[in-house]
């Protein structure tokens, strides 16, 4: 098993790293949240560079699109990368608009990027619909959870082919899990830096073994989520792998949120400190597609044919 990036993936990683260092990061995320907006400019730059249309590319495929989704989340990019690069192209052929949102009928009252979307992929049980802007209503809502969100209603649009809902649901779980893994790794990295700088009893807090154990446990969870996501993407997001990755990612989000804020103490609960830019997103992401309970139910159905 080769766990290293191949030449094409390394080139994409290096190009994305340069782009995100220039146009993303904590400062950019803060500025966008002040206006409750998202990063359309960055999405346009990624589209021009071809990074949004790798799903169907024979050389790169869904795995490269999944890698980009995770790296973007780690860089605090505030844009619907996964919905545009993974979920939409899994069920829609041809040209896809720049901004895509995905909603499940069971949780349509809080949909990320709903008001900004040019296209909505709407999942309603076994049916899936593609609705252009104007073919669905949105009620914007303000939250503290790191994303622009809105409630979706009166969805019309075009019904997609039979089986599209299950395919889209599996890829949405894969992309959400990739976002969780990226955000979790960023939160852990920031926490490690803080604990290395903060001195207590004459030595950095990070030098205490009890603290190291908690950090290592978080890192193992985040890495586990990341590698399950990559396996799911490499194998075409079958239900069993997609739900497994989503379950692991959901638990990762819960653990990293709790530990990162506990270990950074009062500083971790202030908006002046950057930690919330990733951890509050984790709280949103772990609830998507029904959260851990729905992932577990669908994993059982995929593995043993029961619900």
């Amino acid at each position: 098993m080769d766990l290293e990036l191949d030449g094409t993936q390394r080139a994409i990683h290096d190009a994305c790293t340069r782009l995100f260092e220039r146009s993303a990061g904590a400062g950019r995320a803060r500025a966008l949240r002040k206006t409750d907006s998202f990063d359309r400019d960055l999405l346009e730059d990624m589209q021009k560079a071809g990074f949004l249309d790798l799903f169907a590319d024979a050389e790169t495929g869904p795995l490269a699109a999944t890698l980009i989704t995770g790296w973007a989340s780690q860089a605090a990019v505030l844009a619907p990368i996964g919905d545009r690069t993974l979920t939409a192209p899994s069920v829609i052929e041809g040209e896809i608009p720049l901004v895509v949102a995905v909603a499940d009928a069971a949780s349509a009252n809080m949909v990320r990027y709903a008001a900004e979307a040019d296209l909505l992929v709407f999942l309603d049980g076994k049916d899936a619909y593609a609705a252009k802007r104007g073919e669905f209503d949105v009620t914007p809502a303000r939250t503290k959870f790191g994303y622009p969100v809105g409630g979706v209603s009166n969805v019309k649009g075009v019904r997609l082919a039979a089986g599209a809902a299950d395919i889209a649901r599996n890829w949405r779980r894969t992309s959400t899990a990739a976002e969780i893994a990226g955000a979790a790794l960023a939160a852990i990295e920031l926490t490690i830096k803080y604990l290395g700088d903060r001195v207590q009893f004459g030595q950095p807090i990070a030098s205490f073994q009890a603290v190291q154990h908690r950090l290592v446990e978080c890192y193992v969870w985040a890495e586990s989520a990341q590698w399950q996501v990559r396996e799911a993407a490499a194998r075409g997001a079958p239900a069993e792998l997609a739900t497994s990755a989503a379950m692991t990612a959901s638990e990762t989000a819960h653990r990293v949120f709790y530990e990162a804020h506990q270990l950074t103490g009062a500083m971790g609960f202030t908006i002046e400190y950057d930690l919330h830019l990733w951890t509050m997103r984790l709280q949103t992401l772990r609830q998507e597609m029904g959260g851990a309970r729905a992932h577990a139910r669908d994993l059982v159905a995929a593995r043993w044919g029961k619900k």
Side-chain angles (χ1 to χ4, degrees):
M1 180 180 293
D2 186 0
L3 300 180
E4 298 293 329
L5 300 180
D6 63 26
T8 300
Q9 291 164 347
R10 281 198 299 273
I12 294 172
H13 174 266
D14 293 345
C16 285
T17 298
R18 290 193 295 272
L19 178 61
F20 295 155
E21 287 177 349
R22 184 175 67 248
S23 303
R28 179 64 173 163
R30 282 181 176 277
L32 291 166
R33 286 304 294 152
K34 285 183 179 178
T35 58
D36 205 28
S37 58
F38 78 111
D39 210 334
R40 179 179 287 273
D41 292 342
L42 179 57
L43 263 185
E44 290 176 344
D45 288 345
M46 293 182 70
Q47 186 177 48
K48 291 175 184 175
F51 293 143
L52 300 184
D53 298 303
L54 299 177
F55 186 92
D57 186 278
E59 183 178 3
T60 57
L63 178 56
T66 303
L67 293 172
I68 289 174
T69 300
W71 296 330
S73 180
Q74 197 166 355
V77 170
L78 191 56
I81 306 295
D83 290 341
R84 174 60 179 78
T85 61
L86 288 167
T87 309
S90 73
V91 292
I92 298 173
E93 295 182 353
E95 187 174 348
I96 297 173
L98 181 67
V99 184
V100 176
V102 178
D104 191 293
S107 55
N109 61 333
M110 186 169 155
V111 180
R112 288 189 288 150
Y113 307 105
E116 294 77 15
D118 304 311
L119 178 74
L120 175 72
V121 176
F122 187 71
L123 311 178
D124 187 2
K126 289 294 183 182
D127 295 323
Y129 300 83
K132 299 177 182 176
R133 184 191 293 270
E135 296 180 329
F136 57 93
D137 296 333
V138 178
T139 303
R142 289 190 64 86
T143 78
K144 297 182 182 299
F145 291 99
Y147 297 103
V149 300
V152 170
S153 59
N154 300 320
V155 179
K156 301 178 181 65
V158 177
R159 179 179 290 183
L160 299 175
D166 288 339
I167 294 171
R169 199 169 275 116
N170 289 337
W171 280 109
R172 186 60 182 333
R173 281 185 163 128
T174 302
S175 71
T176 301
E179 290 185 78
I180 288 175
L185 288 169
I188 293 168
E189 182 179 351
L190 188 62
T191 302
I192 291 173
K193 183 178 185 309
Y194 174 80
L195 296 176
D197 293 339
R198 178 77 185 274
V199 174
Q200 194 65 264
F201 306 115
Q203 54 188 318
I205 294 176
S207 66
F208 296 111
Q209 192 174 48
V211 172
Q212 293 172 357
H213 286 169
R214 295 167 69 174
L215 285 169
V216 166
E217 187 173 357
C218 287
Y219 186 73
V220 169
W221 273 100
E223 282 288 306
S224 297
Q226 179 169 254
W227 286 104
Q228 285 191 44
V229 165
R230 292 179 179 182
E231 182 181 11
R235 297 178 183 273
E240 189 172 340
L241 294 182
T243 51
S244 294
M247 280 189 62
T248 301
S250 182
E251 181 62 22
T252 298
H254 172 69
R255 288 173 179 257
V256 171
F257 177 88
Y258 177 83
E259 292 289 6
H261 284 285
Q262 283 285 315
L263 291 170
T264 51
M267 175 65 78
F269 287 90
T270 65
I271 59 173
E272 289 80 9
Y273 190 56
D274 287 338
L275 183 62
H276 71 96
L277 296 172
W278 288 280
T279 55
M280 296 308 286
R281 294 185 188 185
L282 289 176
Q283 293 291 69
T284 301
L285 293 168
R286 77 185 186 93
Q287 300 295 336
E288 295 213 325
M289 306 303 294
R293 184 183 295 272
H295 304 327
R297 179 199 63 208
D298 290 349
L299 172 58
V300 169
R303 183 67 178 84
W304 293 285
K306 299 178 181 179
K307 287 193 176 182

